[in-house]
Amino acid sequence: MPDARILGIESSCDETGAAVVRSGEKILSNVVFSQIATHQPYGGVVPELASREHLRAIVPVVRKALADSGQTYRTLDALAVTQGPGLAGALLVGISYAKGLAFALEKPLIAVNHLEGHIHAVLLEERQKGNHEVNFPVLALVVSGGHTHLYLAEQKEEGWSYRNIGHTRDDAAGEAFDKVAKLLGLGYPGGPILDRLATHGDPTEVKFGTAQIKHRDRKDRNEPDDGLPRFDFSYSGIKTAVLRHVETHNLKAAIEERRRALATIEKPSLEDYLAACDPKTLNLVASFQRAIVEDLVEKTLAAARAYDVATVFVTGGVAANHQLRQRFEHSAAQDGLPVFFPSRLLSTDNAAMIAAAAYPKWLSKDFAAADFSAEASLPLRRL
Ligand code: KG4
Ligand code: ZN
């Protein structure tokens, strides 16, 4: 297959990323500028601030990615950029910059779906390790701050195609981590903090259930009902259950104290978090994480059995979670199913995955039209 060096640009949420990847299999550079410090005081991503930070970061981030890769603008074969889904203003920064650069360099520009990028992060990881053998069909769980989606992914001659067989009806799993961490006065983003604290609590202490969804989503009514099973998720109920637990167990005063104590520390360490948490809180965190992890693993593996897939991919920010990885590896092994994750660096938002997903499109000359624009709710193509 012909070689291609593709410069990827990612700006869909709160990370400005640029990376150069060779032929979807070798990372030549991967630069991520995180905006966490900007959004931290607000306990979540502020869209206007995200756009402004992308504007500030995009030029130095792209320049560094190019310098780190040992390439020059002339030696690049194509540029790729995230078209959506994501925050419209944030996406526009990356798209406008990529368009300008591609036009000036007279190089093709490839528009990439962010979710497709997360799926290709797994393939990139495997190819970097020398594994070029992935058996199909593949079931991909994309689980992040904005998404909890299950896709059947297939490689066809003209490129990749995807069919959604499950999504969250309300909050995404990462969103639930973030909201619960905020609720408990632990700061933002919640996932990595709860991940580290959960090992210090008893996950059997608080009983949480997660929603078992039987009926078709009304939002899907425009989609053809092919009668095939769906595996939807729902995580807003568990967040409310945590809130109720806080109220009924009088934890509010302790939470306020924790919030104030942690606000005085610039970059709290695990020891700082542990010092600010009593055993009751650690048990609550461990029980919450376990409920989410069990639900993600059970539904994904039930879908894998129903669709008789050969391989499972788990990707997106929440795929960085230690317990989720362990539980998937353990349970999938019992079913004799290979399960692949990206490294933690490639699990959260980055541009290497965008450049990797662009390679099959480059091969099939699937280039973006000059007038393409950001699509905040861009869906992944159906089979
Ligand atoms: O993929 P990503 O960087 O951005 C989106 O596309 O949303 O995912 C960010 C999400 C956040 O909700 C964050 O709390 C969560 O991933 N996350 C984690 C972990 N690391 C990041 N959730 C659980 N455990 C982690 N270790
Ligand atoms: Zn993402």
Side-chain angles (χ1 to χ4, degrees), residues 10 12 114 118 144 147 316-317 347-349 353:
E10 153 66 37
S12 67
H114 181 81
H118 276 303
S144 69
H147 309 279
S347 295
T348 49
D349 287 351
M353 67 186 196

Side-chain angles (χ1 to χ4, degrees), residues 215-278:
H215 303 289
R216 212 170 129 78
D217 191 348
R218 271 181 289 137
K219 279 187 280 182
D220 288 342
R221 61 182 175 269
N222 294 330
E223 309 257 331
D225 183 359
D226 43 20
L228 293 170
R230 292 196 56 84
F231 295 85
D232 282 353
F233 305 87
S234 165
Y235 296 117
S236 79
I238 188 166
K239 172 198 65 192
T240 313
V242 173
L243 178 62
R244 212 170 300 123
H245 183 92
V246 163
E247 286 167 353
T248 53
H249 291 74
N250 298 321
L251 301 179
K252 280 204 164 155
I255 289 173
E256 271 320 304
E257 203 176 306
R258 177 179 316 129
R259 203 187 307 279
R260 273 196 299 273
L262 290 172
T264 61
I265 308 170
E266 198 184 330
K267 262 199 176 165
S269 65
L270 177 60
E271 285 64 37
D272 294 326
Y273 283 115
L274 285 171
C277 289
D278 52 13

Side-chain angles (χ1 to χ4, degrees), residues 83-141:
Q83 183 181 11
L87 302 169
L91 289 163
L92 267 178
V93 176
I95 292 173
S96 312
Y97 189 70
K99 272 189 184 182
L101 204 53
F103 181 76
L105 298 172
E106 298 181 359
K107 307 269 178 189
L109 178 60
I110 298 161
V112 175
N113 183 304
H114 181 81
L115 301 170
E116 185 170 24
H118 276 303
I119 294 172
H120 282 258
V122 183
L123 291 157
L124 173 58
E125 185 76 43
E126 289 306 307
R127 289 180 188 139
Q128 288 227 117
K129 288 188 213 151
N131 175 15
H132 292 260
E133 290 294 316
V134 171
N135 293 323
F136 291 89
V138 165
L139 176 67
L141 170 67

